[in-house]
Amino acid sequence: MGNRFQVTDRFADGAQYIGGRLRPGTSGEEHSVVDPATGERVHTYELASTADVDAAVAAAKDAFPAWAAATPGERSDALHRFAGVLAEQVEEFARVESLQCGKPIKLSTEFDVPGTVDNTAFFAGAARHLQGQSAGEYSGDHTSYVRREPIGVVGSIAPWNYPLQMAAWKILPAIAAGNTIVLKPAELTPLTSLMFAQAAREAGIPDGVVNIVTGVGRTAGEHLVGHPDVAMTSFTGSTPVGKRVAEIATSTVKRLHLELGGKAPFVVFDDADLEAAAHGAVAASLINTGQDCTAATRAYVQRPLFDAFVARVAELMETVRLGDPFDPSTDLGPLISHAQRDRVAAFVERARGYATVVTGGEAPGGDLENGAYYRPTLITGAAQNSEVVQSEIFGPVLVALPFDGDDEGIRLANDTPYGLAASAWSRDVYRANRATREIKAGCVWVNDHIPIISEMPHGGSKASGFGKDMSAYSFEEYTQIKHVMYDNTAVAAKDWHRTIFGDR
């Protein structure tokens, strides 16, 4: 396969970034980053122990007072420099992201990396706009105003599907608001998170403000979430693991932000542009090989368009080019691991017993047989309560179901435990507007599905969690609201005191 980026020398000092330097883990357990396109090991490192987590939290705690005391302008300047450092390293970041994840290089180059640079630039500006309610005399006798203050040390956990972007989504709003952070990336894909932390140091962000511990969830992750010096936890991952994170965090009364699983509906009304909907469905279901919690997974198509939609989606899926992630012409890379590929394949094999696999449904052979590849798959004929409709598959699998009236389409769209993202496809503004109101999801696109922007929030509802990443709304997660109230009367014996003691 194509030219691979050599990472061993870059991370020779270890995969823990604590207090401004790389160091080895102390767990005594080794773990390997594996290229999912070839199955080959590309880097082996020692996992974090609970002692490493303690050291990272201590570094963040030590750095917090000075960073919290920095002016918004000083934090903004540091983040602007950070964006500049990242912009100089875009090719390196893209190649390492594709290496550890199997992403097509065109996705890393045109989506993951520029999105991260833009997000950094956005939070550089947002750092100067931590706003509260205007000061005023709301009681008549007092002046009140609202302060936004940093919370303290944030302990965050990021997933393996978008390692660089998720590191940015966790780190940037936290430090822009004056917090310090310890991030635990997925042990499968830690490399760009470590590079991101190194770039922060190059930009002049003080040591200890950004720390990375690379370990497994049951040890490093749970210890981080339960640590008494961690004031807030932000977690992105599956709903079952999110429930465990919530149990630990709430037992220590931490601020908690959860971005969990999804099963996004893709609702096509009978007046939709069929060609646009078909192209949109293929792109939205296959992005990142379907390993995206906002990916289109359930296409509900009004019956007059259903057969044509299925035929066109199948036709387009069959044109998708699987191949070497470093080949610029590759459309679809492997899944993150062979275990994940086998999990996706098992969903599809079980579905053959109650539904129809229209196209795909197999791993390719030939030059790709050593990788974790799986062909784009379209399924029809599944019941609404079936596993492939209700469960998060996290692979290149789209299930298409027909509906009749608009009421039914919206009802079916809402009929899962999840509520992260959705889309509605219609030329009728009133019809589309109704869908945006009534579909229960944190984001509803109209005549598109997937695009995200730094200025707008990302987060879900129901079993998809709560809280927002990106945008100025993320500061709701990462700041403490404090009401300050000044007496304006200079009267010692105030009238309201008489409700407690004495007479008027």
Side-chain angles (χ1 to χ4, degrees):
M1 288 197 170
N3 181 35
R4 293 307 202 246
F5 189 91
Q6 299 301 313
V7 298
T8 301
D9 291 343
R10 175 72 182 261
F11 303 107
D13 292 334
Q16 317 304 324
Y17 188 82
I18 299 172
R21 67 180 182 90
L22 288 172
R23 52 191 258 185
T26 61
S27 68
E29 298 179 47
E30 286 192 338
H31 186 84
S32 293
V33 177
V34 175
D35 178 353
T38 64
E40 297 175 358
R41 296 181 181 185
V42 297
H43 184 62
T44 300
Y45 64 92
E46 194 164 357
L47 290 163
S49 67
T50 57
D52 297 320
V53 174
D54 290 340
V57 173
K61 184 178 179 181
D62 287 346
F64 174 70
W67 184 247
T71 67
E74 289 168 338
R75 292 198 293 267
S76 176
D77 288 346
L79 286 165
H80 277 299
R81 294 193 301 271
F82 191 8
V85 170
L86 294 172
E88 294 171 355
Q89 300 177 14
V90 290
E91 182 177 355
E92 184 179 5
F93 271 101
R95 296 190 71 79
V96 176
E97 195 76 334
S98 286
L99 177 66
Q100 67 179 355
C101 299
K103 294 175 186 283
I105 192 66
K106 66 180 181 179
L107 182 66
S108 295
T109 301
E110 299 178 31
F111 183 75
D112 296 68
V113 175
T116 300
V117 175
D118 182 75
N119 212 230
T120 308
F122 169 80
F123 278 106
R128 303 185 81 137
H129 296 281
L130 288 170
Q131 298 175 344
Q133 190 170 357
S134 297
E137 288 66 53
Y138 299 99
S139 78
D141 290 336
H142 306 82
T143 296
S144 288
Y145 66 88
V146 170
R147 292 175 55 90
R148 281 189 180 271
E149 297 180 346
I151 296 170
V153 177
V154 178
S156 292
I157 299 175
W160 47 255
N161 56 338
Y162 290 100
L164 177 59
Q165 284 196 315
M166 293 297 100
W169 286 16
K170 300 301 182 193
I171 291 169
L172 294 171
I175 67 173
N179 303 285
T180 56
I181 188 168
V182 179
L183 173 73
K184 192 200 86 65
E187 64 273 18
L188 296 174
T189 55
L191 303 181
T192 49
S193 299
L194 293 165
M195 291 167 62
F196 192 72
Q198 290 175 313
R201 188 175 195 268
E202 290 179 47
I205 292 173
D207 293 347
V209 172
V210 178
N211 306 273
I212 309 291
V213 289
T214 307
V216 296
R218 66 181 179 274
T219 53
E222 292 198 3
H223 191 65
L224 178 62
V225 173
H227 199 289
D229 289 333
V230 170
M232 174 187 166
T233 289
S234 177
F235 171 81
T236 296
S238 71
T239 297
V241 177
K243 291 178 180 178
R244 174 62 180 156
V245 169
E247 289 174 0
I248 299 170
T250 53
S251 70
T252 54
V253 199
K254 285 178 170 47
R255 176 78 63 89
L256 181 61
H257 168 215
L258 298 175
E259 198 267 89
L260 306 178
K263 190 71 176 174
F266 186 100
V267 183
V268 182
F269 295 100
D270 59 12
D271 66 330
D273 181 327
L274 177 61
E275 193 69 5
H279 278 81
V282 173
S285 62
L286 300 184
I287 185 172
N288 204 36
T289 318
Q291 299 167 126
D292 187 313
C293 49
T294 63
T297 60
R298 300 177 290 138
Y300 295 103
V301 185
Q302 204 149 19
R303 204 170 297 275
L305 293 186
F306 182 76
D307 291 342
F309 176 88
V310 168
R312 186 60 175 137
V313 167
E315 182 181 32
L316 290 171
M317 280 187 168
E318 289 164 7
T319 70
V320 171
R321 299 163 294 187
L322 283 70
D324 178 2
F326 287 90
D327 183 339
S329 67
T330 292
D331 297 321
L332 195 74
L335 290 140
I336 189 63
S337 66
H338 287 80
Q340 179 65 12
R341 191 270 311 276
D342 293 346
R343 177 180 179 275
V344 170
F347 270 102
V348 176
E349 290 309 306
R350 291 191 295 270
R352 292 185 194 277
Y354 56 81
T356 300
V357 177
V358 178
T359 189
E362 62 181 3
D367 293 342
L368 303 180
E369 65 181 354
N370 291 329
Y373 289 89
Y374 198 76
R375 294 193 185 282
T377 301
L378 177 64
I379 295 173
T380 61
Q384 175 66 16
N385 63 355
S386 63
E387 180 186 50
V388 289
V389 176
Q390 293 293 325
S391 298
E392 189 172 32
I393 300 172
F394 229 55
V397 179
L398 177 66
V399 183
L401 304 93
F403 71 91
D404 292 306
D406 290 16
D407 290 350
E408 182 187 16
I410 292 172
R411 177 180 62 78
L412 292 172
N414 286 330
D415 185 28
T416 71
Y418 301 105
L420 185 58
S423 63
W425 297 74
S426 174
R427 291 183 174 95
D428 185 327
V429 64
Y430 298 103
R431 204 175 204 183
N433 196 29
R434 179 194 174 189
T436 64
R437 291 195 312 271
E438 297 187 14
I439 293 176
K440 306 304 180 187
C443 175
V444 181
W445 292 281
V446 176
N447 295 327
D448 208 344
H449 191 119
I450 283 299
I452 53 175
I453 49 176
S454 297
E455 291 82 358
M456 289 291 115
H458 176 88
S461 59
K462 302 195 297 185
S464 294
F466 48 81
K468 299 299 179 185
D469 289 309
M470 298 199 301
S471 81
Y473 291 99
S474 65
F475 288 132
E476 302 293 337
E477 317 301 322
Y478 293 98
T479 56
Q480 180 67 46
I481 302 299
K482 178 186 284 184
H483 170 214
V484 178
M485 195 174 199
Y486 279 90
D487 171 59
N488 291 331
T489 66
V491 173
K494 294 178 174 57
D495 187 58
W496 75 266
H497 293 173
R498 306 311 168 211
T499 64
I500 313 302
F501 70 99
D503 298 319
R504 281 190 172 84

